[in-house]
Coordinates of all heavy atoms in Angstrom, one line a residue:
M1 N -116.8 207.6 -34.5 CA -116.1 206.8 -35.5 C -115.5 205.6 -34.9 O -115.0 205.7 -33.8 CB -115.1 207.8 -36.3 CG -114.7 207.2 -37.6 SD -113.7 208.4 -38.6 CE -114.7 208.5 -39.9
S2 N -115.5 204.6 -35.7 CA -114.9 203.4 -35.1 C -113.4 203.4 -34.8 O -112.6 203.9 -35.7 CB -115.3 202.1 -36.0 OG -114.8 201.0 -35.4
K3 N -113.0 202.7 -33.8 CA -111.5 202.6 -33.6 C -110.9 201.3 -34.1 O -109.8 201.3 -34.1 CB -111.3 202.7 -32.0 CG -111.6 204.1 -31.4 CD -111.4 204.1 -29.9 CE -112.2 205.3 -29.3 NZ -113.5 204.9 -28.8
I4 N -111.8 200.3 -34.4 CA -111.4 199.1 -34.7 C -111.3 199.1 -36.4 O -112.2 199.4 -37.1 CB -112.2 198.0 -34.4 CG1 -112.3 198.0 -32.9 CG2 -111.8 196.6 -34.8 CD1 -113.2 197.0 -32.1
I5 N -110.0 198.7 -36.8 CA -109.8 198.8 -38.3 C -110.4 197.5 -38.8 O -110.2 196.3 -38.4 CB -108.2 198.9 -38.5 CG1 -107.8 200.1 -37.9 CG2 -108.0 198.7 -39.9 CD1 -106.2 200.2 -38.0
S6 N -110.9 197.7 -40.1 CA -111.5 196.6 -40.9 C -110.4 195.5 -41.1 O -109.3 195.8 -41.3 CB -111.8 197.0 -42.3 OG -112.1 196.0 -43.1
P7 N -110.8 194.1 -41.1 CA -110.0 193.1 -41.1 C -109.6 192.9 -42.6 O -108.8 192.0 -42.9 CB -110.5 191.9 -40.5 CG -112.1 192.2 -40.7 CD -112.1 193.6 -40.6
C8 N -110.0 193.5 -43.5 CA -109.7 193.4 -44.9 C -108.1 193.6 -45.2 O -107.6 194.6 -44.7 CB -110.4 194.4 -45.9 SG -110.0 194.2 -47.7
I9 N -107.5 192.5 -45.8 CA -106.2 192.6 -46.0 C -106.0 192.6 -47.5 O -104.7 192.3 -47.9 CB -105.4 191.4 -45.3 CG1 -105.8 190.0 -45.8 CG2 -105.5 191.7 -43.8 CD1 -104.9 189.0 -45.2
S10 N -106.9 193.1 -48.2 CA -106.8 193.3 -49.8 C -106.6 192.0 -50.5 O -106.0 192.0 -51.7 CB -105.7 194.2 -50.1 OG -105.9 195.4 -49.2
I11 N -107.0 190.9 -50.1 CA -107.0 189.6 -50.8 C -108.5 189.2 -50.8 O -108.9 188.4 -50.2 CB -106.2 188.5 -50.1 CG1 -104.7 189.1 -50.0 CG2 -106.3 187.3 -50.9 CD1 -103.8 188.2 -49.1
C12 N -109.2 189.8 -51.8 CA -110.7 189.7 -51.8 C -111.3 188.9 -52.9 O -111.7 189.2 -53.8 CB -111.2 191.3 -52.0 SG -110.5 192.4 -50.8
K13 N -111.1 187.6 -52.5 CA -111.8 186.5 -53.3 C -112.6 185.7 -52.4 O -112.1 185.2 -51.3 CB -110.8 185.7 -54.0 CG -109.9 186.5 -55.0 CD -110.7 186.8 -56.2 CE -109.9 187.6 -57.3 NZ -110.6 188.2 -58.3
T14 N -113.8 185.2 -52.8 CA -114.5 184.5 -51.8 C -114.6 183.1 -52.3 O -114.8 182.7 -53.6 CB -116.1 185.0 -52.0 OG1 -116.1 186.3 -51.5 CG2 -117.0 184.2 -51.2
D15 N -114.4 182.2 -51.4 CA -114.4 180.7 -51.7 C -115.8 180.3 -52.0 O -116.7 180.5 -51.2 CB -113.9 180.0 -50.5 CG -113.9 178.5 -50.6 OD1 -115.0 177.9 -50.6 OD2 -112.8 177.9 -50.8
P16 N -116.0 179.7 -53.1 CA -117.4 179.4 -53.6 C -117.9 178.3 -52.7 O -119.3 178.2 -52.7 CB -117.2 178.9 -55.0 CG -115.8 178.4 -55.1 CD -115.1 179.4 -54.3
V17 N -117.2 177.5 -51.9 CA -117.7 176.4 -51.1 C -118.3 177.0 -49.9 O -119.4 176.8 -49.4 CB -116.9 175.3 -51.1 CG1 -117.3 174.2 -50.1 CG2 -116.5 174.7 -52.5
T18 N -117.4 177.7 -49.2 CA -117.6 178.1 -47.8 C -118.3 179.4 -47.7 O -118.9 179.8 -46.7 CB -116.4 178.3 -46.9 OG1 -115.5 179.2 -47.6 CG2 -115.5 176.9 -46.9
G19 N -118.1 180.3 -48.7 CA -118.6 181.6 -48.7 C -117.8 182.7 -48.0 O -118.1 183.7 -47.7
F20 N -116.6 182.1 -47.5 CA -115.7 182.9 -46.8 C -114.6 183.6 -47.6 O -114.1 182.9 -48.6 CB -114.9 182.2 -45.7 CG -115.7 181.5 -44.6 CD1 -115.4 180.2 -44.2 CD2 -116.9 182.1 -44.2 CE1 -116.1 179.7 -43.1 CE2 -117.7 181.6 -43.2 CZ -117.3 180.4 -42.6
C21 N -114.3 184.9 -47.4 CA -113.2 185.5 -48.1 C -111.9 184.8 -47.8 O -111.5 184.3 -46.7 CB -113.0 186.9 -47.7 SG -111.7 187.8 -48.5
Y22 N -111.0 184.6 -48.9 CA -109.8 183.9 -48.7 C -108.8 184.8 -47.8 O -108.0 184.2 -47.1 CB -109.0 183.6 -50.0 CG -109.7 182.4 -50.9 CD1 -110.1 182.8 -52.2 CD2 -109.9 181.2 -50.4 CE1 -110.6 181.8 -53.0 CE2 -110.5 180.3 -51.1 CZ -110.9 180.6 -52.5 OH -111.4 179.6 -53.3
G23 N -108.9 186.1 -47.9 CA -108.0 186.9 -47.1 C -108.4 187.0 -45.6 O -107.6 186.9 -44.8
C24 N -109.6 187.3 -45.4 CA -110.1 187.6 -44.1 C -111.1 186.7 -43.4 O -111.6 186.8 -42.4 CB -110.6 189.0 -44.0 SG -112.1 189.3 -44.9
T25 N -111.6 185.7 -44.2 CA -112.7 184.8 -43.9 C -113.9 185.4 -43.6 O -114.8 184.6 -43.0 CB -112.2 183.7 -42.9 OG1 -112.1 184.4 -41.5 CG2 -111.0 183.2 -43.0
R26 N -114.1 186.6 -43.8 CA -115.5 187.1 -43.6 C -116.6 186.8 -44.8 O -116.1 186.5 -45.8 CB -115.4 188.7 -43.6 CG -114.8 189.2 -42.5 CD -114.8 190.8 -42.3 NE -114.1 191.2 -43.6 CZ -114.3 192.5 -44.0 NH1 -114.9 193.5 -43.3 NH2 -113.5 193.0 -45.1
T27 N -117.8 186.7 -44.4 CA -118.9 186.5 -45.4 C -119.3 187.8 -45.9 O -118.9 188.9 -45.4 CB -120.1 185.7 -44.6 OG1 -120.7 186.8 -43.7 CG2 -119.8 184.4 -44.0
D28 N -120.1 187.6 -47.0 CA -120.5 189.0 -47.6 C -121.3 189.8 -46.6 O -121.3 191.1 -46.5 CB -121.2 188.7 -48.8 CG -120.5 188.1 -50.0 OD1 -119.3 188.5 -50.1 OD2 -121.0 187.7 -51.0
E29 N -122.1 189.0 -45.8 CA -122.9 189.8 -44.7 C -122.1 190.5 -43.7 O -122.3 191.5 -43.2 CB -124.0 188.7 -44.0 CG -124.9 189.4 -43.1 CD -125.9 190.4 -44.0 OE1 -126.3 190.3 -45.1 OE2 -126.1 191.5 -43.4
E30 N -120.9 189.8 -43.3 CA -120.1 190.3 -42.3 C -119.5 191.6 -43.0 O -119.2 192.5 -42.2 CB -119.1 189.3 -41.9 CG -119.7 188.2 -40.9 CD -118.6 187.1 -40.7 OE1 -118.0 186.7 -41.6 OE2 -118.9 186.5 -39.7
K31 N -119.0 191.5 -44.2 CA -118.5 192.6 -44.9 C -119.3 193.8 -44.9 O -118.9 194.9 -44.6 CB -118.0 192.3 -46.3 CG -116.7 191.3 -46.3 CD -116.7 191.0 -47.8 CE -115.5 189.8 -48.0 NZ -115.3 189.5 -49.2
K32 N -120.7 193.6 -45.1 CA -121.6 194.7 -45.1 C -121.7 195.3 -43.6 O -121.9 196.5 -43.5 CB -123.1 194.2 -45.4 CG -123.0 193.8 -47.0 CD -124.4 193.3 -47.2 CE -124.5 192.7 -48.6 NZ -125.6 192.0 -49.0
M33 N -121.7 194.5 -42.6 CA -121.8 194.9 -41.1 C -120.6 195.8 -40.9 O -120.8 196.8 -40.2 CB -121.9 193.6 -40.2 CG -123.1 192.9 -40.4 SD -124.6 193.9 -39.6 CE -124.1 193.9 -37.9
W34 N -119.3 195.4 -41.3 CA -118.1 196.2 -41.0 C -118.4 197.6 -41.7 O -117.9 198.6 -41.2 CB -117.0 195.6 -41.6 CG -116.4 194.6 -40.6 CD1 -116.7 193.2 -40.5 CD2 -115.4 194.9 -39.5 NE1 -116.0 192.7 -39.5 CE2 -115.2 193.7 -38.9 CE3 -114.8 196.0 -39.2 CZ2 -114.3 193.6 -37.8 CZ3 -113.8 195.9 -38.2 CH2 -113.7 194.9 -37.4
K35 N -119.0 197.7 -42.9 CA -119.2 199.0 -43.5 C -120.3 199.8 -43.1 O -120.4 201.0 -43.2 CB -119.4 198.8 -45.0 CG -118.1 198.3 -45.7 CD -118.4 198.0 -47.1 CE -117.1 197.5 -47.9 NZ -117.4 197.3 -49.3
N36 N -121.2 199.2 -42.3 CA -122.4 199.9 -41.8 C -121.9 200.8 -40.6 O -121.3 200.4 -39.6 CB -123.4 198.9 -41.3 CG -124.5 199.6 -40.7 OD1 -124.6 200.7 -40.3 ND2 -125.7 198.8 -40.9
E37 N -122.1 202.1 -40.7 CA -121.8 203.1 -39.7 C -122.4 202.8 -38.3 O -121.8 203.3 -37.3 CB -122.2 204.5 -40.2 CG -121.4 205.0 -41.3 CD -121.8 206.2 -41.9 OE1 -122.5 207.0 -41.2 OE2 -121.3 206.7 -43.1
T38 N -123.4 202.2 -38.2 CA -124.0 201.9 -37.0 C -123.6 200.7 -36.3 O -123.9 200.3 -35.1 CB -125.5 201.7 -37.1 OG1 -126.0 200.6 -37.9 CG2 -126.3 203.1 -37.7
T39 N -122.7 199.8 -37.0 CA -122.2 198.7 -36.3 C -121.1 199.2 -35.3 O -120.2 199.9 -35.4 CB -121.5 197.8 -37.3 OG1 -122.4 197.3 -38.3 CG2 -120.9 196.5 -36.6
N40 N -121.3 198.6 -34.0 CA -120.6 199.1 -32.9 C -119.3 198.3 -32.7 O -119.1 197.1 -33.3 CB -121.3 199.1 -31.5 CG -121.8 197.7 -31.2 OD1 -121.1 196.7 -31.2 ND2 -123.1 197.4 -30.8
D41 N -118.4 198.8 -31.9 CA -117.0 198.2 -31.7 C -117.1 196.7 -31.0 O -116.3 195.9 -31.3 CB -116.1 199.0 -30.9 CG -115.5 200.2 -31.8 OD1 -115.8 200.1 -33.1 OD2 -114.9 201.1 -31.3
T42 N -118.1 196.6 -30.2 CA -118.3 195.3 -29.5 C -118.6 194.2 -30.6 O -118.0 193.2 -30.6 CB -119.6 195.4 -28.6 OG1 -119.2 196.4 -27.6 CG2 -119.7 194.0 -27.8
W43 N -119.4 194.5 -31.6 CA -119.7 193.5 -32.6 C -118.4 193.2 -33.4 O -118.0 192.1 -33.7 CB -120.8 194.0 -33.5 CG -121.1 193.0 -34.6 CD1 -122.1 192.0 -34.5 CD2 -120.5 192.9 -35.8 NE1 -122.1 191.2 -35.6 CE2 -121.0 191.7 -36.4 CE3 -119.5 193.4 -36.6 CZ2 -120.7 191.3 -37.7 CZ3 -119.1 193.1 -37.8 CH2 -119.7 192.0 -38.5
K44 N -117.7 194.3 -33.8 CA -116.4 194.1 -34.5 C -115.4 193.4 -33.7 O -114.8 192.4 -34.4 CB -115.8 195.6 -34.9 CG -116.7 196.3 -36.0 CD -116.3 197.6 -36.3 CE -117.2 198.3 -37.2 NZ -116.6 199.6 -37.6
S45 N -115.3 193.6 -32.4 CA -114.3 192.8 -31.6 C -114.7 191.3 -31.7 O -113.8 190.5 -31.9 CB -114.3 193.4 -30.3 OG -113.8 194.6 -30.1
E46 N -116.0 191.1 -31.5 CA -116.4 189.7 -31.4 C -116.3 189.0 -32.9 O -115.9 187.9 -33.0 CB -117.8 189.6 -31.1 CG -117.9 190.0 -29.5 CD -119.5 190.2 -29.1 OE1 -120.4 190.1 -29.9 OE2 -119.7 190.4 -27.9
N47 N -116.4 189.8 -33.8 CA -116.3 189.4 -35.2 C -115.0 189.0 -35.6 O -114.6 188.1 -36.3 CB -117.0 190.3 -36.3 CG -116.9 189.7 -37.8 OD1 -116.3 190.2 -38.6 ND2 -117.7 188.6 -37.9
L48 N -113.9 189.8 -35.1 CA -112.6 189.5 -35.3 C -112.1 188.3 -34.7 O -111.4 187.5 -35.4 CB -111.7 190.6 -34.7 CG -111.4 191.9 -35.5 CD1 -110.8 193.0 -34.8 CD2 -110.6 191.5 -36.8
I49 N -112.6 187.9 -33.5 CA -112.5 186.7 -32.8 C -113.0 185.5 -33.7 O -112.3 184.4 -33.8 CB -112.9 186.6 -31.4 CG1 -112.3 187.7 -30.5 CG2 -112.9 185.2 -30.8 CD1 -112.9 188.0 -29.2
L50 N -114.2 185.7 -34.2 CA -114.8 184.5 -34.9 C -114.1 184.3 -36.3 O -113.9 183.2 -36.6 CB -116.2 185.0 -35.3 CG -117.1 184.2 -36.2 CD1 -117.2 182.6 -35.6 CD2 -118.4 184.7 -36.6
I51 N -113.7 185.4 -37.0 CA -113.1 185.2 -38.3 C -111.6 184.6 -38.1 O -111.2 183.7 -38.9 CB -113.0 186.6 -39.2 CG1 -112.1 187.6 -38.6 CG2 -114.4 187.0 -39.3 CD1 -111.9 188.8 -39.5
T52 N -110.9 185.0 -37.0 CA -109.7 184.4 -36.9 C -109.7 182.9 -36.5 O -108.9 182.1 -36.6 CB -108.8 185.3 -35.9 OG1 -109.4 185.4 -34.7 CG2 -108.3 186.4 -36.5
S53 N -110.9 182.6 -35.8 CA -111.1 181.3 -35.4 C -111.4 180.3 -36.7 O -111.2 179.1 -36.6 CB -112.3 181.1 -34.4 OG -113.6 181.1 -35.0
R54 N -111.6 180.8 -37.8 CA -111.9 180.1 -38.9 C -110.6 179.8 -39.7 O -110.5 179.0 -40.5 CB -112.8 181.0 -40.0 CG -114.1 181.2 -39.5 CD -114.9 182.1 -40.4 NE -116.3 182.4 -39.8 CZ -117.0 183.4 -40.3 NH1 -116.5 184.4 -41.1 NH2 -118.2 183.6 -39.8
M55 N -109.6 180.4 -39.2 CA -108.2 180.4 -39.9 C -107.3 179.4 -39.2 O -107.5 179.2 -38.0 CB -107.5 181.8 -39.9 CG -108.3 182.8 -40.7 SD -107.2 184.3 -40.6 CE -108.7 185.5 -40.9
K56 N -106.5 178.7 -39.9 CA -105.4 177.9 -39.4 C -104.2 178.0 -40.2 O -104.1 178.5 -41.3 CB -106.0 176.4 -39.5 CG -107.2 176.1 -38.6 CD -107.5 174.6 -38.8 CE -108.8 174.4 -37.9 NZ -109.8 175.2 -37.7
G57 N -103.1 177.5 -39.4 CA -101.8 177.5 -40.2 C -101.4 178.8 -40.9 O -101.4 179.9 -40.2
W58 N -100.8 178.6 -42.0 CA -100.1 179.8 -42.8 C -101.2 180.8 -43.0 O -101.0 182.1 -42.9 CB -99.6 179.4 -44.1 CG -100.6 178.9 -45.1 CD1 -101.0 177.4 -45.3 CD2 -101.4 179.5 -46.0 NE1 -102.0 177.4 -46.3 CE2 -102.2 178.7 -46.8 CE3 -101.5 181.0 -46.3 CZ2 -103.2 179.0 -47.6 CZ3 -102.5 181.3 -47.2 CH2 -103.3 180.4 -47.9
Q59 N -102.6 180.7 -43.1 CA -103.5 181.6 -43.4 C -103.7 182.5 -42.2 O -103.7 183.7 -42.3 CB -104.9 181.0 -43.8 CG -106.0 182.1 -44.0 CD -107.3 181.6 -44.2 OE1 -107.8 180.5 -43.7 NE2 -108.1 182.2 -45.0
L60 N -103.7 182.0 -41.0 CA -103.8 182.7 -39.8 C -102.6 183.5 -39.6 O -102.6 184.7 -39.2 CB -104.0 181.8 -38.6 CG -104.1 182.4 -37.2 CD1 -105.3 183.3 -37.1 CD2 -104.2 181.3 -36.1
E61 N -101.4 182.9 -39.9 CA -100.2 183.8 -39.7 C -100.0 184.8 -40.6 O -99.6 186.0 -40.2 CB -99.0 182.8 -39.8 CG -98.7 181.7 -38.6 CD -98.9 182.2 -37.2 OE1 -98.2 183.2 -37.1 OE2 -99.6 181.8 -36.5
T62 N -100.4 184.6 -41.8 CA -100.4 185.7 -42.9 C -101.4 186.8 -42.6 O -101.1 188.0 -42.6 CB -100.7 185.1 -44.3 OG1 -99.8 184.1 -44.6 CG2 -100.8 186.2 -45.4
F63 N -102.6 186.4 -42.0 CA -103.6 187.4 -41.6 C -103.0 188.3 -40.6 O -103.1 189.4 -40.5 CB -104.9 186.8 -41.3 CG -105.9 187.7 -40.7 CD1 -106.6 188.5 -41.6 CD2 -106.1 187.9 -39.4 CE1 -107.6 189.5 -41.2 CE2 -106.9 188.9 -38.8 CZ -107.7 189.6 -39.8
K64 N -102.6 187.6 -39.5 CA -102.0 188.4 -38.3 C -100.9 189.3 -38.7 O -100.9 190.4 -38.3 CB -101.6 187.3 -37.3 CG -102.5 186.6 -36.5 CD -101.9 185.6 -35.5 CE -102.9 185.0 -34.7 NZ -102.4 184.1 -33.6
E65 N -100.0 188.8 -39.6 CA -98.9 189.7 -39.9 C -99.4 190.9 -40.7 O -99.1 192.0 -40.5 CB -97.9 189.0 -40.7 CG -96.7 189.7 -41.2 CD -95.7 189.0 -42.1 OE1 -95.9 187.8 -42.2 OE2 -94.7 189.5 -42.4
S66 N -100.3 190.7 -41.6 CA -100.9 191.7 -42.5 C -101.7 192.6 -41.8 O -101.7 193.9 -42.0 CB -101.6 191.0 -43.8 OG -101.8 192.1 -44.7
Y67 N -102.5 192.1 -41.0 CA -103.5 193.0 -40.1 C -102.6 193.9 -39.1 O -103.0 194.9 -39.0 CB -104.6 192.2 -39.4 CG -105.7 192.8 -38.7 CD1 -106.5 193.7 -39.5 CD2 -105.9 192.8 -37.5 CE1 -107.5 194.4 -38.9 CE2 -106.9 193.5 -36.8 CZ -107.8 194.4 -37.5 OH -108.7 195.1 -37.0
S68 N -101.7 193.4 -38.6 CA -100.9 194.1 -37.6 C -100.1 195.2 -38.4 O -100.1 196.4 -37.8 CB -99.8 193.1 -36.9 OG -98.9 193.8 -36.3
H69 N -99.7 194.8 -39.5 CA -99.0 196.0 -40.5 C -100.0 197.0 -40.8 O -99.7 198.2 -40.7 CB -98.4 195.3 -41.8 CG -97.6 196.3 -42.5 ND1 -98.3 196.9 -43.4 CD2 -96.3 196.4 -42.6 CE1 -97.3 197.8 -43.9 NE2 -96.1 197.5 -43.4
K70 N -101.3 196.5 -41.1 CA -102.3 197.6 -41.5 C -102.7 198.5 -40.3 O -102.8 199.7 -40.4 CB -103.6 196.8 -41.9 CG -104.6 197.7 -42.3 CD -105.9 196.9 -43.0 CE -107.0 197.9 -43.3 NZ -108.2 197.0 -43.7
M71 N -102.7 197.9 -39.1 CA -103.0 198.7 -37.9 C -101.9 199.7 -37.6 O -102.2 200.8 -37.2 CB -103.3 197.7 -36.6 CG -104.5 197.1 -36.7 SD -105.0 196.2 -35.3 CE -103.7 195.1 -35.1
S72 N -100.7 199.2 -37.8 CA -99.5 200.1 -37.6 C -99.3 201.2 -38.6 O -98.9 202.3 -38.4 CB -98.3 199.3 -37.5 OG -98.4 198.4 -36.3
N73 N -99.6 200.7 -39.9 CA -99.1 201.7 -41.1 C -100.3 202.1 -41.9 O -100.0 202.9 -42.9 CB -98.1 200.9 -41.9 CG -96.9 200.5 -41.0 OD1 -96.1 201.3 -40.7 ND2 -96.8 199.2 -40.7
G74 N -101.5 201.7 -41.7 CA -102.7 202.1 -42.4 C -102.8 201.5 -43.8 O -103.7 201.9 -44.6
I75 N -101.9 200.4 -44.0 CA -102.1 199.7 -45.3 C -101.8 198.2 -45.1 O -100.8 197.9 -44.3 CB -101.3 200.3 -46.3 CG1 -101.4 199.8 -47.8 CG2 -99.7 200.3 -46.0 CD1 -100.7 200.5 -48.9
S76 N -102.3 197.2 -45.7 CA -102.2 195.8 -45.6 C -100.7 195.6 -46.3 O -100.4 196.4 -47.2 CB -103.1 195.1 -46.3 OG -103.1 195.2 -47.6
L77 N -100.1 194.5 -46.0 CA -98.9 194.2 -46.6 C -99.1 193.8 -48.1 O -98.3 194.2 -48.9 CB -98.2 192.9 -46.0 CG -97.6 193.2 -44.6 CD1 -97.2 191.7 -44.0 CD2 -96.5 194.0 -44.7
F78 N -100.2 193.2 -48.4 CA -100.5 193.0 -50.0 C -100.6 194.3 -50.7 O -100.0 194.4 -51.7 CB -101.7 192.2 -50.0 CG -102.2 191.8 -51.4 CD1 -101.5 190.7 -52.0 CD2 -103.1 192.4 -52.1 CE1 -101.8 190.3 -53.3 CE2 -103.3 192.1 -53.4 CZ -102.7 191.0 -54.0
K79 N -101.2 195.2 -50.1 CA -101.3 196.6 -50.9 C -100.1 197.2 -50.9 O -99.7 197.9 -52.0 CB -102.4 197.4 -50.2 CG -103.7 197.5 -50.9 CD -104.6 198.6 -50.4 CE -105.9 198.4 -51.0 NZ -106.9 199.4 -50.5
K80 N -99.2 197.2 -49.7 CA -98.0 197.9 -49.8 C -97.0 197.2 -50.8 O -96.4 198.0 -51.6 CB -97.3 197.6 -48.4 CG -95.8 198.1 -48.2 CD -95.4 197.8 -46.9 CE -94.0 198.1 -46.7 NZ -93.1 197.0 -47.2
N81 N -97.1 196.0 -51.0 CA -96.2 195.2 -52.0 C -96.7 195.6 -53.5 O -95.8 195.7 -54.2 CB -96.3 193.7 -51.8 CG -95.6 193.3 -50.4 OD1 -94.7 193.9 -50.0 ND2 -95.9 192.1 -50.0
L82 N -97.9 195.7 -53.6 CA -98.4 196.2 -55.0 C -97.9 197.4 -55.3 O -97.6 197.8 -56.5 CB -100.0 196.1 -55.0 CG -100.6 194.8 -55.1 CD1 -102.1 194.9 -55.1 CD2 -100.2 194.0 -56.4
L83 N -98.0 198.3 -54.4 CA -97.6 199.8 -54.6 C -96.1 199.9 -54.9 O -95.7 200.7 -55.7 CB -97.9 200.7 -53.5 CG -99.4 200.9 -53.2 CD1 -99.8 201.8 -51.9 CD2 -100.0 201.6 -54.4
E84 N -95.3 199.1 -54.1 CA -93.8 199.0 -54.3 C -93.3 198.5 -55.7 O -92.4 198.8 -56.3 CB -93.2 198.3 -53.2 CG -93.2 198.9 -51.9 CD -92.6 198.1 -50.9 OE1 -92.3 197.0 -51.0 OE2 -92.6 198.6 -49.7
K85 N -94.3 197.6 -56.4 CA -94.0 197.1 -57.5 C -94.2 198.0 -58.7 O -93.8 197.9 -59.8 CB -94.8 195.8 -57.9 CG -94.3 194.7 -57.0 CD -95.1 193.4 -57.2 CE -94.6 192.2 -56.2 NZ -95.4 191.2 -56.5
K86 N -95.1 199.1 -58.5 CA -95.3 200.1 -59.6 C -94.1 201.0 -59.8 O -93.4 201.4 -59.2 CB -96.5 200.9 -59.1 CG -97.8 200.0 -59.3 CD -99.1 200.9 -58.9 CE -100.3 200.1 -59.0 NZ -101.5 200.7 -58.9

């Protein structure tokens, strides 16, 4: 089982121009690779570097904060905030 946590931060909308997710900047193909059980941690590590290289400014800071929270607590900040509002 993989030790690297998916970069999904629960902001799942795809930009129609770039094809990148607004939350994690992955393409649909990259999302499929993350879900594929045979995808190894080397690919995932390299993909994390690639997707964060697509981000700048507030998007990068928001991603880093939410992904860090997800790694520590098992849930993204966006999902945590949704659950707290219920």
Side-chain angles (χ1 to χ4, degrees):
M1 203 171 240
S2 179
K3 298 174 192 97
I4 300 177
I5 296 171
S6 165
C8 177
I9 58 170
S10 305
I11 302 171
C12 306
K13 297 287 180 192
T14 302
D15 181 285
V17 176
T18 64
F20 298 146
C21 174
Y22 289 125
C24 66
T25 72
R26 291 181 298 167
T27 63
D28 287 342
E29 189 59 36
E30 289 167 328
K31 290 175 186 178
K32 289 176 191 170
M33 288 292 293
W34 274 89
K35 289 180 181 179
N36 186 330
E37 292 177 10
T38 63
T39 301
N40 63 42
D41 284 350
T42 301
W43 183 91
K44 290 178 180 183
S45 294
E46 291 170 357
N47 188 249
L48 277 170
I49 293 166
L50 175 63
I51 66 172
T52 55
S53 76
R54 295 174 183 155
M55 301 176 198
K56 291 181 179 43
W58 64 266
Q59 183 186 30
L60 179 58
E61 295 307 314
T62 299
F63 175 80
K64 284 180 177 180
E65 182 180 0
S66 190
Y67 188 60
S68 176
H69 188 274
K70 182 178 179 180
M71 288 190 298
S72 299
N73 301 289
I75 189 170
S76 70
L77 285 175
F78 184 77
K79 264 193 180 170
K80 176 184 174 278
N81 289 340
L82 282 178
L83 292 173
E84 288 176 353
K85 290 179 181 179
K86 288 184 178 183

